[in-house]
Amino acid sequence: DTLWDLAIAEVEKRQNPDDDVKPGEVWEKSILFMGNKNGGKTTIILRCLEREESPKPTLALEYTFGRRARRHNTPKDVAHFWELGGGTSLVELIRIPITSHNIRSFAVVLVLDLSKPNELWTTMESLLQVTRSHVNKILTKLEKTNPEVAAEIKQRMWNHLQRDHPDYTLVDPFPIPLVIIGSKYDIFHEFDSEMRKIISKTLRFVSHYYGASLVFTSKSEALLLKARALINHLAFGYDKSKSVSVDPSKPLFIPAGLDSMSQIGPPPASDSDLGKMRANTPLELWKKVFEKTFPPKSFCDLQDIKDPAQDSQYAEYEVDVMRAQKNQELEQYKRNVSKSWKEMDFDSD
């Protein structure tokens, strides 16, 4: 190779730091989709995989995959798609897909329902905290067993941000690639303009703080294509879009590293209110400001989970008949116990 060839290769490597797959080898990536219940995760996955299917409610943790060929007559790359159902109630299941064996090629897509701002911060915080904690545990183990891989992952956290970026010391990148999708933009667009501005600015800050890409989407084909572009970059190494849309009156589209604190501006609150708020980190300050406008709902995800045994898509005649019989026996046992309890004679003294 000439010096010019080496220079071109080095530039391409810097522009595509994740592309460490040699020609002829199969690219294999994994992505975990999580977020609000009924937020549109399944719809987004099906659209990315170009499948004409009607989305069904996700039960616990579901898996599918997609295959793409980078060039003609080359082996097809594989992307593993995991989807966590149940909102925040089943977050412990993330330990199943994210392991020390695939951590180098793993990414997370967080889907937040823009039509439910009162659930937005709680959902985001719960899911990202548990995921980050799990990933950090894996990295701690790798530092002992495979320090080179651990160092490589930690370095990749900063690849989207140049050292001369003014916010280099102000952000706290997520340990693995992260995309935040604001779904149901069509409903969100009908909100009061001030509400939209607060939500948009907050999600811009959170995404920039974590080194994540941010995109707003809906069932609109044009918006789904933008979300698909970001996901295909993670899954199959497609070119990363350099376009940016930060206008709060339009759907946001901001690839990682292309925003800044100066463009986002301060938290949407008066100086007097900001002065009264005690926070240890910028993230905590934005949380307090956001939840002042959108108080978090006190809801329990566990109560909303449907019993899969009653779901028609999992029906099995023989199993269901036996289960019905056991349910009848249980009810009879409860009645007998209750009856015998009432008939017991207790000493009054």
Side-chain angles (χ1 to χ4, degrees), residues 93-106:
L93 291 178
I94 64 159
R95 293 178 294 182
I96 296 173
I98 307 179
T99 69
S100 58
H101 300 291
N102 64 13
I103 191 69
R104 289 180 67 196
S105 58
F106 213 98

Side-chain angles (χ1 to χ4, degrees), residues 165-324:
H165 194 287
D167 303 332
Y168 194 83
T169 60
L170 302 176
V171 297
D172 186 16
F174 206 68
I176 55 179
L178 173 65
V179 170
I180 297 178
I181 297 179
S183 65
K184 302 187 181 179
Y185 177 79
D186 50 336
I187 301 175
F188 170 77
H189 188 61
E190 301 300 321
F191 285 5
D192 173 78
S193 61
E194 193 60 31
M195 291 174 62
R196 293 202 311 269
K197 182 179 179 182
I198 294 172
I199 296 171
S200 296
K201 285 191 67 172
T202 300
L203 287 180
R204 281 183 65 185
F205 169 80
V206 170
S207 298
H208 184 57
Y209 185 77
Y210 282 132
S213 297
L214 175 65
V215 59
F216 283 1
T217 190
S218 68
K219 293 182 179 180
S220 160
E221 188 66 19
L223 294 185
L224 279 171
L225 282 174
K226 288 193 171 186
R228 181 183 171 194
L230 287 175
I231 295 168
N232 278 338
H233 170 70
L234 297 177
F236 301 108
Y238 288 10
D239 289 341
K240 190 176 181 180
S241 175
K242 297 292 176 65
S243 65
V244 178
S245 175
V246 297
D247 187 343
S249 66
K250 299 177 181 179
L252 297 182
F253 182 81
I254 312 172
L258 299 185
D259 211 342
S260 67
M261 299 293 188
S262 59
Q263 289 179 308
I264 296 169
S270 65
D271 292 341
S272 60
D273 285 342
L274 289 176
K276 297 174 185 176
M277 294 178 181
R278 294 186 177 182
N280 296 319
T281 65
L283 188 67
E284 189 177 338
L285 179 62
W286 277 82
K287 175 184 178 180
K288 289 179 180 295
V289 172
F290 183 82
E291 292 189 340
K292 184 177 181 182
T293 305
F294 303 106
K297 282 186 177 180
S298 56
F299 63 94
C300 180
D301 285 333
L302 289 172
Q303 294 177 348
D304 294 333
I305 297 177
K306 294 180 179 179
D307 184 354
Q310 308 301 323
D311 195 322
S312 59
Q313 67 175 315
Y314 304 110
E316 290 189 44
Y317 177 75
E318 294 181 356
V319 174
D320 293 340
V321 169
M322 182 61 69
R323 182 182 178 91

